[in-house]
Amino acid sequence: MSAVATAPAKDLAPKILSRDPGDFEIPKGREEEWRYTPIRKMQDFFIPQSWGSVGALSSPFVEIVGPDDPRLSTTWMPTDRISAIAFAGTKKVVLITIPAEHIVEESIVVNLAGEMLNNYAHIEVQVGKFSRSQIVIIHDSTANVSGSIVTEVGDQAELTLLSVLDAEAPLKQHWNWTTNVGRDSRFLGLSISLGGEVVRIVPSVNYRAPGGSAEMLGAFLLEGDQFQEHRILVNHTEPHCVSNVVYKGALSGQGAHSVWVGDVLVRREAIGIQTYELNRNLLLNDGPRADSVPNLELETGDVVSAGHASATGRFDDEQLFYLQSRGIPESVARQLVVRGFFVDVLNKVHDQSLRENLMERIEMRLGMVTHA
Amino acid sequence: MSKLEIKDLHATVTTDTGDSEILRGVSLTVESGTTSAIMGPNGSGKSTLAYVLAGHPKYTVTSGTVTLDGEDVLGMSVDERARAGLFLAMQYPVEIPGVSVSNFLRTSITALRGEAPKLRTWTKDMKEAMSDLQMDPAFASRNVNEGFSGGEKKRHEILQLGLMEPKIAILDETDSGLDVDALKVVSEGVNRFQQKTNAGVLLITHYTRILKYIKPDVVHVFVDGRIVETGGPELANSLEADGYERFSVAKA
């Protein structure tokens, strides 16, 4: 099953769409989309392997199916070799289905689990029209994974999709996320990424019809010599849609390297849209490096608003001084500043115990836990 | 009774062109229940004195001593100084994004008292203190200093002063950038605090305007990194009339 489509040249959009890994070259590292990635550390991801598959416990709305299940999307196509290999290699698909007009009050929590140390994964989220739900995907923190999350948000549906990736230090994970937003629907994607040796996440948003809204928020944390890349693509092809991308990263330690790329395409026909993207990085000491690359490609000037901002800064000693001068010990002051840095992203996690848990994990990672 | 004693204090700041001495032998004493004003021209080093007393890492003390009730202040970290009873109302308080005023104040009070304040009395205390300074209750949920006007920043500093109840308060140009109405409100806040706690106040200012509302017992004239003259409130009046020129001339 293979289909090859070619997008216009000089464009930030993917050039090849195919389920056949053979349709893609093995990247050499000089390609635009790979130029920041330590691909030598990911060689195994580019060659088909006999890896295990990622599954999850079945529960209401969640089932494990084969990759040939007739309910799965037939139109979704990988946009790079790595995800084509992952889809060809996985024997399981985690299928999450929210029926039309269904309002699910409780968060649907999906704990992913790999069969082996190395795994392929495929997750498909089908959200029916007029439904409302919150899905929390907890990634396997003890496995290497290469996979995709494909999400279809039906007309006028509301979906919050929270991904928590807290891989143990030596692990590698690569994820391709594709979200298709329906007419007048609202999608909130929240990506919390706290660890792993090499983590690369490539989220993209497409609009199926006018009036859709996509908010993509991310909080990431790197320490030691970890690498994380968040490469976001928002493809505005429909009029009167909204996109808002906010990613915040905190980095500490010698050799930590983060990459944030935010590509926003606004097509000629996407009139009256609003788009904004922001990346802020906080360097907690002298060692880390943060690359931040916002790109906005406008084919029409007939938009409501379009903007981007990016800033990387050191931990502000004046903030510490101010807080300490009010009697607050340095460790608590640092905690306050880091919490404050992430608060606008983490406040979107409505489940309070989960939000506290995530904040504590961040503080623990930064060696900042001082209170009992 | 508390006593802040500064003896022959010298301090330098490191710049791109090397170390330069900003404080050149400052000696003064502030006691409970008294108000001392430090007045001086721009660049005289009076704000540096405030920062050095609070322990700002930018400055290095090269000689001299500072004690609070006999305890060595210079050996304390910034937060230890605050817990020992020193407070600095800053001229340019920094923004802390994502940290609300109420969270900040509660964290500070908890650190200063060694235990969290009781929720019910705390909420009441904070509301009262804010209403005394004619601050909107919604202020508590804003982020610390973020988007505050000049007047709001100063009210916020004095709000902290009233809640934290230090033994010695240093006010660094709290009057600058305030209109007359805000100046009155802020000055009343300082006076209320001092009447309630009998604290010592060290008031650093460029103008004499604030001295109409906060009456100093002692006025020090600060020029070129040291105190060049000390007198009573009448000294401030002569500065109002003649400015700082005669001190600069004397130096030359």
Side-chain angles (χ1 to χ4, degrees):
Chain A
M1 201 160 80
S2 153
V4 180
T6 314
K10 272 186 70 183
D11 192 303
L12 299 165
K15 307 283 183 288
I16 302 170
L17 303 163
S18 171
R19 290 190 176 185
D20 181 356
D23 286 339
F24 303 92
E25 304 260 340
I26 299 176
K28 294 179 178 65
R30 286 190 295 273
E31 300 79 2
E32 177 54 35
E33 61 269 39
W34 293 104
R35 69 191 186 99
Y36 295 102
T37 317
I39 56 170
R40 263 178 304 167
K41 291 185 178 174
M42 306 182 70
Q43 295 290 1
D44 293 351
F45 286 67
F46 297 109
I47 313 285
Q49 316 275 345
S50 49
W51 285 2
S53 300
V54 165
L57 289 178
S58 298
S59 64
F61 312 110
V62 181
E63 58 191 309
I64 308 304
V65 301
D68 53 354
D69 191 284
R71 288 168 295 172
L72 298 181
S73 167
T74 52
T75 54
W76 172 77
M77 290 290 153
T79 55
D80 58 15
R81 182 178 171 92
I82 207 164
S83 10
I85 288 173
F87 188 65
T90 191
K91 291 166 196 71
K92 294 179 187 170
V93 171
V94 179
L95 176 62
I96 307 168
T97 314
I98 311 294
E101 307 198 20
H102 222 79
I103 307 294
V104 189
E105 298 291 351
E106 290 273 294
S107 291
I108 299 162
V109 180
V110 182
N111 285 287
L112 300 184
E115 294 169 326
M116 293 158 63
L117 176 61
N118 299 308
N119 304 276
Y120 296 121
H122 194 79
I123 295 155
E124 191 157 323
V125 182
Q126 298 182 356
V127 170
K129 61 184 176 185
F130 302 110
S131 70
R132 190 172 75 220
S133 55
Q134 281 195 58
I135 297 168
V136 180
I137 293 176
I138 311 282
H139 289 274
D140 190 334
S141 64
T142 61
N144 296 313
V145 180
S146 178
S148 297
I149 303 178
V150 177
T151 305
E152 195 74 42
V153 188
D155 290 352
Q156 218 166 316
E158 271 181 51
L159 171 67
T160 297
L161 185 64
L162 165 60
S163 149
V164 179
L165 199 163
D166 190 3
E168 283 169 13
L171 296 173
K172 299 163 195 171
Q173 298 218 358
H174 188 280
W175 285 94
N176 223 300
W177 299 347
T178 304
T179 303
N180 298 311
V181 177
R183 185 183 183 93
D184 299 325
S185 64
R186 296 168 62 85
F187 171 70
L188 169 60
L190 266 165
S191 170
I192 313 285
S193 313
L194 305 180
E197 183 189 358
V198 177
V199 171
R200 187 172 185 271
I201 304 177
V202 186
S204 65
V205 169
N206 304 294
Y207 297 87
R208 291 277 194 219
S213 157
E215 209 171 348
M216 313 263 290
L217 305 184
F220 56 92
L221 179 71
L222 288 84
E223 45 179 348
D225 55 0
Q226 297 178 343
F227 174 86
Q228 268 189 44
E229 179 170 353
H230 300 272
R231 180 173 281 271
I232 297 127
L233 171 67
V234 179
N235 197 357
H236 276 284
T237 52
E238 295 287 336
H240 306 293
C241 291
V242 176
S243 63
N244 182 38
V245 178
V246 177
Y247 269 65
K248 292 193 163 183
L251 292 83
S252 93
Q254 203 66 40
H257 181 194
S258 72
V259 177
W260 177 87
V261 179
D263 290 335
V264 176
L265 313 186
V266 182
R267 306 295 187 186
R268 191 176 303 279
E269 55 278 19
I271 57 163
I273 62 107
Q274 301 171 48
T275 178
Y276 186 72
E277 50 171 352
L278 166 77
N279 171 226
R280 282 200 58 207
N281 300 307
L282 180 61
L283 308 183
L284 295 165
N285 45 39
D286 280 333
R289 169 179 160 197
D291 287 303
S292 181
V293 189
N295 291 309
L296 180 59
E297 198 174 286
L298 283 166
E299 289 177 6
T300 174
D302 190 4
V303 299
V304 174
S305 61
H308 59 70
S310 156
T312 296
R314 281 216 36 173
F315 204 93
D316 187 345
D317 290 336
E318 294 296 330
Q319 291 179 346
L320 269 192
F321 172 71
Y322 188 75
L323 294 170
Q324 282 187 266
S325 78
R326 272 45 176 156
I328 300 170
E330 183 180 339
S331 58
V332 180
R334 284 183 174 272
Q335 227 169 20
L336 266 183
V337 172
V338 170
R339 271 187 177 245
F341 179 73
F342 283 120
V343 80
D344 48 350
V345 173
L346 285 171
N347 272 358
K348 300 276 184 169
V349 179
H350 290 295
D351 182 324
Q352 193 188 339
S353 65
L354 179 62
R355 186 171 65 238
E356 275 305 309
N357 175 283
L358 289 172
M359 208 61 239
E360 276 165 25
R361 286 196 211 193
I362 288 176
E363 286 169 359
M364 213 152 67
R365 291 269 181 195
L366 295 173
M368 298 170 95
V369 173
T370 49
H371 56 90
Chain B
M1 284 295 285
S2 283
K3 190 197 251 185
L4 178 72
E5 277 189 290
I6 304 164
K7 284 185 186 160
D8 194 29
L9 187 65
H10 291 252
T12 59
V13 64
T14 305
T15 63
D16 295 338
T17 53
D19 289 354
S20 77
E21 189 171 51
I22 314 255
L23 299 185
R24 301 162 180 256
V26 180
S27 298
L28 74 98
T29 300
V30 184
E31 291 186 14
S32 292
T34 70
T35 299
S36 302
I38 291 188
M39 304 193 62
N42 290 328
S44 58
K46 56 191 193 298
S47 284
T48 298
L49 175 63
Y51 275 119
V52 167
L53 293 175
H56 195 287
K58 196 168 118 185
Y59 303 99
T60 309
V61 172
T62 49
S63 67
T65 60
V66 178
T67 58
L68 178 62
D69 299 331
E71 300 280 330
D72 174 21
V73 169
L74 298 177
M76 298 178 193
S77 66
V78 176
D79 48 304
E80 284 169 345
R81 295 177 196 207
R83 292 199 296 274
L86 271 183
F87 178 87
L88 168 61
M90 299 200 195
Q91 187 181 2
Y92 302 112
V94 296
E95 296 179 1
I96 321 262
V99 178
S100 70
V101 167
S102 66
N103 183 19
F104 161 64
L105 292 175
R106 204 174 52 238
T107 307
S108 163
I109 295 293
T110 303
L112 291 169
R113 295 182 191 164
E115 59 174 359
K118 297 255 185 317
L119 197 61
R120 191 187 294 169
T121 51
W122 164 246
T123 312
K124 187 172 142 282
D125 289 352
M126 195 168 76
K127 272 195 182 138
E128 274 178 19
M130 286 175 59
S131 129
D132 285 345
L133 290 164
Q134 298 176 19
M135 297 165 84
D136 189 317
F139 197 84
S141 54
R142 291 173 66 184
N143 291 335
V144 173
N145 292 318
E146 206 175 55
F148 287 16
S149 68
E152 285 174 331
K153 283 184 182 168
K154 298 300 168 71
R155 281 174 210 233
H156 180 229
E157 293 296 288
I158 301 309
L159 174 70
Q160 296 170 50
L161 175 72
L163 290 169
M164 294 175 192
E165 300 191 345
K167 294 173 183 164
I168 304 288
I170 304 157
L171 311 181
D172 185 16
E173 307 216 15
T174 296
D175 52 332
S176 65
L178 292 183
D179 62 33
V180 172
D181 294 334
L183 181 64
K184 276 186 198 166
V185 170
V186 161
S187 302
E188 282 164 15
V190 174
N191 291 334
R192 226 177 5 251
F193 149 76
Q194 197 175 24
Q195 278 152 21
K196 185 180 169 198
T197 62
N198 196 40
V201 171
L202 182 62
L203 182 70
I204 295 172
T205 180
H206 183 77
Y207 308 103
T208 53
R209 189 174 67 140
I210 195 172
L211 304 182
K212 277 186 229 155
Y213 306 103
I214 301 175
K215 299 290 179 197
D217 302 294
V218 185
V219 174
H220 301 288
V221 181
F222 202 85
V223 176
D224 200 23
R226 61 167 78 88
I227 291 167
V228 293
E229 192 167 326
T230 297
E234 71 289 347
L235 178 55
N237 298 334
S238 81
L239 289 173
E240 176 74 37
D242 307 333
Y244 295 108
E245 274 169 32
R246 70 182 166 98
F247 300 102
S248 309
V249 170
K251 192 187 92 185

